[in-house]
Amino acid sequence: MRRLIWLGVMCLLTVGSVGCGTEPPADLVGTDRSTPRMRQVAEAWKGSEAARVWRTGFYLLDDPERLPEDAFHNGADKLAYGNGNFRLRAGALPGAAARHGRIRWTNGDSLPATVMTARQAYDTLDRGDRGDGADPLTVTKAALGEMTVNTSRGPARVPAWLLTLDGYDTPVRLMAVASPKPPRAPVPSLSPQTVHGVQPLDEIREVSGDGRTLTVRASHGACDDGPAVDVLETGDSVVLAGGIRGAKDGPCTMQLLHASVTVHLDRPLGDRLILDAFTGKPVTMAA
């Protein structure tokens, strides 16, 4: 639930300058404005140690938390959750020690993993913020189960702690295994001073069943015609470059807006990496 805020800040700065009429970039789609950067990112990842590690390890491209299906009943509960304001009912957490589990992919691959205790999982949720005056959410029970998450190797089933909240029909799901720090990207990120029309992407919202269409969540400003996403396909990767359409001259409010963009691929995605031309890193998948 707490996603990559710094990307939004950088995008806000970039969109703000573009929207106020300082050298607005041309539309990215159908032009070569972003091609050199996309090629640089694709070549850097091709055959790299980072790509090898990425394809053989467990690296999360998802949120490790899942809200209850009926969340939230009111604004106070939403505020309490966002602030990490929780309390435990007596006996809610089992006292078992950490145990061994497995991460399992749909192709049959798996990796061993240490499953954190219920207390360790709960502590990632409860930040003890009691300063908002709202009543905390009460955890009444914890049970070990599973959840599906998007990873560097596709969807995987992982151990998860299911925490029941007082008044909610379905539990909060917390991933119960740690995801290691991703390998360092083999190409440096751009900065707001060097973007030349390329902006960071938010996340991949959906991959179609046939792997030929990506739905990308991208950012734009209040004084343009919306986001655009350019694509470069190689045998190893799909590199996406975010940008904007129709930047307008003149005064503009500093707003960061979001919209979904559909990207069509020439062939199915398969096991190719999806890379962000701005950051040089794999793109996060939506929960």
Side-chain angles (χ1 to χ4, degrees):
M1 308 303 152
R2 301 134 188 155
R3 297 183 182 277
L4 302 180
I5 295 174
W6 70 272
L7 287 180
V9 172
M10 286 200 298
C11 189
L12 176 60
L13 294 174
T14 306
V15 169
S17 64
V18 170
C20 291
T22 58
E23 296 187 293
D27 287 356
L28 289 176
V29 174
T31 77
D32 292 328
R33 286 296 297 269
S34 56
T35 299
R37 172 60 179 179
M38 291 194 295
R39 285 177 177 161
Q40 179 190 27
V41 171
E43 287 299 317
W45 275 89
K46 183 179 180 180
S48 67
E49 176 64 11
R52 185 195 68 78
V53 172
W54 191 256
R55 293 181 186 279
T56 57
F58 169 63
Y59 299 100
L60 190 65
L61 290 178
D62 212 335
D63 199 309
E65 301 174 17
R66 296 287 189 279
L67 293 173
E69 293 175 5
D70 52 341
F72 287 99
H73 292 171
N74 51 58
D77 283 1
K78 184 175 182 179
L79 182 62
Y81 189 95
N83 288 344
N85 186 1
F86 293 84
R87 65 185 170 201
L88 283 171
R89 183 168 293 174
L93 300 183
R99 64 189 75 181
H100 297 294
R102 294 199 76 83
I103 300 162
R104 305 178 191 277
W105 284 271
T106 54
N107 64 359
D109 290 345
S110 67
L111 284 175
T114 299
V115 179
M116 66 181 66
T117 65
R119 168 58 71 174
Q120 289 171 325
Y122 173 80
D123 286 345
T124 68
L125 197 64
D126 180 18
R127 299 193 304 280
D129 186 348
R130 309 289 189 258
D132 55 35
D135 291 335
L137 292 167
T138 300
V139 174
T140 61
K141 185 176 70 172
L144 189 60
E146 287 187 324
M147 64 190 288
T148 299
V149 294
N150 292 308
T151 78
S152 55
R153 297 163 62 177
R157 295 289 292 176
V158 300
W161 281 104
L162 283 53
L163 304 184
T164 300
L165 300 181
D166 188 25
Y168 286 82
D169 295 332
T170 58
V172 175
R173 293 176 182 264
L174 299 178
M175 192 173 76
V177 297
S179 176
K181 184 178 180 180
R184 184 175 180 178
V187 60
S189 175
L190 296 177
S191 71
Q193 289 73 38
T194 61
V195 293
H196 301 307
V198 180
Q199 298 182 116
L201 298 170
D202 294 338
E203 62 185 10
I204 302 294
R205 303 301 299 267
E206 185 180 7
V207 178
S208 64
D210 62 4
R212 298 291 293 267
T213 303
L214 310 178
T215 303
V216 183
R217 184 174 184 265
S219 303
H220 66 105
C223 299
D224 56 60
D225 295 330
V229 178
D230 205 358
V231 58
L232 175 68
E233 299 188 48
T234 74
D236 302 293
S237 63
V238 172
V239 186
L240 304 176
I244 61 171
R245 293 182 180 277
K248 300 175 176 62
D249 292 328
C252 182
T253 58
M254 293 286 285
Q255 289 177 269
L256 181 64
L257 306 175
H258 305 277
S260 293
V261 178
T262 299
V263 177
H264 299 283
L265 304 181
D266 291 335
R267 57 191 177 86
L269 175 65
D271 63 353
R272 291 182 291 173
L273 299 176
I274 306 177
L275 303 171
D276 184 346
F278 186 98
T279 66
K281 299 176 181 180
V283 187
T284 299
M285 301 289 288

